[in-house]
Every structure is written in C-alpha cells, then in structure tokens.
C-alpha cells in the first residue's frame, strides 16, 4: 500500500509570497496523480513539502495513513526526481543506480538484482558500465529516475522529469515512466506544466494556479466538465477559445449566447444544465463562452471569421478582436457543436453549467471541491502579503 493525503496545506514565505493555499487531496494506492500548473504555480513547492525538503506553514501530510508532517526526509520513505536530473559524473551508470542502496548497506545480491531490474525497465542495460559524459540527455534522465526509484519507496515524486527534452524524447520517456509505474505498482505524484503529459499519464489531475488548486479530477472530467475558466484553459491542445463579455439573450422561446458579433443558439442539452438561465437571460450579467477548437469547424456555415495560419489540422482565425482556433475546412465561416459549449460567469469565472450523466464521479472528496471565485483569489493573495507599516 502507498497512498498520500494532503490536508489544509499552506505555505507562505517570510517575504509574504503565497506559495500554497489550503491544498487538499488524497491519492489512491498505485495511482498516477499529476499536479498540473504553469511556472510559479506552486507545484514544485508542493512536492518539496511532501518530500520534507520544505516545511508547511500549516497543514498536514500523511503517507499510508501515518502523519509525516514533522518527520525528516529520511523518515518519509519517498523518492524524488528533480527536473535537473542530477547524477554523479564520477560514477558509471551501474554505480549511480546502486548508490542509494550502498548508503543503506544493502547486500551485494540485492543491489545487483535491483540495479539490473531497474536498468531493464528504464532501457539502460546496454549502458550500465558507461560514464555519464558518454550518455545523451535522455539516458542521463533515465539514470536520475533509476537512482530515485531503485529503493522501492512508499511514494514516488517526479518534478517535471521531462524538462529539457525535445518532443520525441519526451514522449518516449513518458512511456517509460508510465510502464515503470505499472510494473513497480507504486503511487506516483508527477508535476508538469505540459497538459499533454498530464492527460496522457494521469489517473487524476490537480490543476493548480498561483498556489490555489482549481480542480482535481480525472482527465475526461476535467476536459468535459471544467469548474472554472482556468481549468478549461489548462487542459487541451490547442487550448480552448474564450469569448469574453458575452450575454445570454432570448426571443421568447429560444436562448442565445452573443459576443463579438457571434450569436450561438443554446441547445436543449445546454439549457437543461444551465440552472440559472432565467437569471442571466436578457440581464446585464456577462458570461464567458468557451469553445474547444475540436468543437469548431471552418466551413461555409456559421459566423464570419478571417482565416489565418493552418497547422496540425487547425486554422488560427480572427473573430473581431479575438483569436479563434478551429478545425481546418473550406470556407470563411465557423460552425460550432452547440452541445459542447462552456459557459462561465463573467465575474467569478466559475462554471454555470451543472454536471449531467456524462460526468463520472470519483470516490474522492475533492470531486465536489469548488475553487474560490476570481475576485476571492485576488483577495487571498493580497491577504498573504505583509502590509506596509503606517508612519507615525
């Protein structure tokens, strides 16, 4: 068994900079849990706090049901892979992999068994006796991962392990990591800023922004049922199109979303999920409309755009003052799948659409988590900063 629970975790640096705010999540045994966030979002700080390399300002961390918040790094029995992937340049691959076991005075037989098993999983068997200077970037990172996991700890923490690799190497190493996790049957907590990595590998994803978790859910639920505009933006490539300052209008029987000269009829499916529709229809409240590029097609029907560059099956268009991406097609208009709209409140940026039968709920409490509204987030960050002293 290897599970992790983080409860009410907060981290504020002495400068007043907010790193983590009220983080709550729980992993299952043998789960591949991904923390997804941009640079400066707090994902690396969170992993370092779990590992014991940094202290929380408040909150609790438990591994396998045992509180480890106040324990030293060695007592937590976790392995951490850093984005730098540091290995010892004076040791060959075999000795780099064996280093941690030798420190713990493991038997020679156990060391040899573990080194060869890990080398096979990571594709390092043929370079076991080579020095690091002769390895390429991919092989060096595999050695760094092997050094961390060879002890077979309770928990594996990986902080952007694919950073610095190009596209093909990233895909190859991600497959290696996923296969390793399946074979070792461990719980992996993996931090990345790449949504494609997250969507490919994760059983669940925690989207984090400036130290505040936005949503924790399965990749499918995050993609189809984002709780706010940022969660919608965080997953999917190309990223979601947003139409800001939109309003909901009606002509008595039909309802529409209008923005930037675009008028999209709300389908019965969207209307059934829009529980506060009457409060927004023909009112002064603005909304944000989200449309994923794969749900929009360039053709001869729909709203007018100016088509631009095309790449990887998508065309970047201009809609008023908005850049809008749609699937390639022949024509200067874009049609959208009305059943696939996202609608967020213009102020709070929280979703206005209730979940329907397509949402597959997980057994974890964080499935029902609602993040702070946009203005509340700003207030949280403001409160964490020390206020200047008033002059006497």
């Amino acid at each position: 068994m290897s599970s992790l629970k983080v409860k009410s975790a907060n981290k504020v640096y002495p400068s007043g900079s907010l790193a983590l705010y009220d983080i709550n999540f729980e992993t299952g045994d043998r789960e591949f849990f991904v923390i997804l966030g941009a640079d400066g979002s707090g994902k690396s700080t969170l992993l370092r706090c779990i590992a014991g390399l940094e202290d929380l300002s408040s909150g609790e961390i438990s591994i396998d049901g045992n509180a480890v918040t106040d324990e030293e790094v060695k007592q937590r029995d976790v392995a951490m892979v850093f984005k730098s992937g540091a290995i010892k340049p004076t040791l060959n691959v075999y000795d780099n992999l064996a280093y941690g076991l030798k420190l713990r005075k493991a038997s020679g037989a156990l060391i040899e068994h573990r080194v060869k098993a890990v080398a096979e999983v990571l594709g390092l068997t043929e370079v076991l006796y080579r020095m690091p200077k002769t390895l390429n970037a991919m092989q060096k990172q595999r050695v760094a991962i092997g050094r961390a996991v060879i002890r077979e700890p309770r928990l594996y923490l990986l902080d952007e392990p694919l950073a610095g690799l190009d596209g093909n190497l990233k895909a190859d190493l991600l497959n290696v990591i996923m296969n390793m996790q399946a074979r070792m049957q461990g719980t992996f907590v993996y931090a990345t800023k790449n949504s494609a990595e997250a969507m490919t590998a994760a059983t669940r994803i925690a989207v984090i922004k400036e130290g505040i978790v936005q949503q924790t859910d399965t990749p499918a639920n995050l993609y189809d049922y984002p709780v706010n505009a940022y969660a919608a933006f965080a997953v999917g490539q190309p990223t979601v199109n947003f139409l800001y300052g939109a309003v909901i209008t009606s002509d008595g029987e039909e309802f529409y979303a209008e923005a930037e000269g675009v008028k999209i009829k709300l389908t019965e499916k969207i209307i059934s999920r829009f529980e506060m529709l009457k409060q927004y229809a023909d009112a002064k409240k603005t909304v944000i409309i989200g449309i994923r590029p794969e749900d929009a097609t360039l053709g001869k029907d729909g709203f007018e755009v100016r088509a631009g560059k095309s790449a990887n099956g998508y065309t970047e268009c201009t809609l008023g003052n908005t850049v809008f991406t749609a699937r390639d097609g022949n024509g200067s208009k874009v049609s959208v799948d009305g059943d696939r709209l996202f609608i967020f409140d213009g102020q709070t940026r929280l979703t206005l659409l209730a979940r329907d039968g397509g949402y597959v709920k997980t057994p974890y409490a964080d499935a029902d988590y609602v993040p702070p509204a946009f203005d509340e987030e700003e207030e949280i960050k403001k409160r964490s900063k020390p206020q200047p002293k008033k002059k006497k």
Side-chain angles (χ1 to χ4, degrees), residues 138 162-175 190 193-194 197:
M138 163 80 96
L162 309 188
L165 301 178
D166 65 27
N168 291 332
L169 293 181
K170 281 185 176 182
D172 290 343
L173 186 52
L174 182 59
N175 283 331
Y190 180 108
K193 59 186 175 186
N194 187 302
E197 290 176 30

Side-chain angles (χ1 to χ4, degrees), residues 349-369:
R349 304 190 185 181
L350 298 174
T351 185
L352 295 171
L353 302 182
R355 296 166 176 170
D356 60 12
Y359 181 85
V360 181
K361 189 173 182 179
T362 66
Y364 300 95
D366 46 41
D368 295 319
Y369 168 73

Side-chain angles (χ1 to χ4, degrees), residues 189-347:
V189 181
Y190 180 108
T192 181
K193 59 186 175 186
N194 187 302
S195 67
E197 290 176 30
M199 296 293 281
T200 299
T203 50
R204 285 186 302 140
I205 301 170
V207 175
I208 187 170
K209 170 185 167 235
E210 296 181 296
I212 302 173
V213 170
Q214 306 294 306
Q215 183 172 356
T216 303
D217 221 322
T218 65
N221 286 342
L222 262 174
Y223 190 81
D224 292 330
Y225 300 91
V227 297
N228 64 12
Y230 189 84
F233 168 79
V235 298
Q237 292 181 350
T239 191
V240 65
N241 298 299
F242 286 130
L243 302 179
Y244 294 94
V247 293
I248 303 299
T249 62
S250 70
D251 62 5
E253 295 183 358
E254 308 289 354
F255 293 89
Y256 304 87
E258 296 190 46
E260 294 274 5
V262 174
K263 188 174 183 179
I264 304 172
K265 181 181 176 181
L266 301 188
T267 65
E268 297 223 354
K269 183 174 182 179
I270 294 298
I271 290 172
S272 69
R273 296 177 58 199
F274 199 156
E275 296 174 342
M276 295 189 294
L277 177 59
K278 291 183 179 179
Q279 297 178 36
Y280 282 80
D282 300 318
K284 293 183 179 180
K285 294 182 178 181
T286 61
V287 299
I288 302 169
I289 302 300
I291 304 170
R292 293 210 183 274
E294 52 270 41
D295 298 323
T297 306
L298 195 63
K300 297 180 180 179
D301 299 313
F303 48 83
E304 291 281 352
V305 294
R306 296 193 306 277
K309 295 186 298 182
S310 179
N312 301 318
Y314 291 94
T315 298
E316 189 176 277
C317 309
T318 302
L319 172 64
N321 296 318
T322 301
V323 175
F324 192 98
T325 305
R327 291 188 299 169
D328 288 343
N330 296 319
S332 60
K333 295 183 178 181
V334 169
S335 61
V336 302
D337 182 347
D339 284 342
R340 300 280 299 167
L341 294 182
F342 301 134
I343 305 178
F344 307 100
D345 180 85
Q347 298 299 317

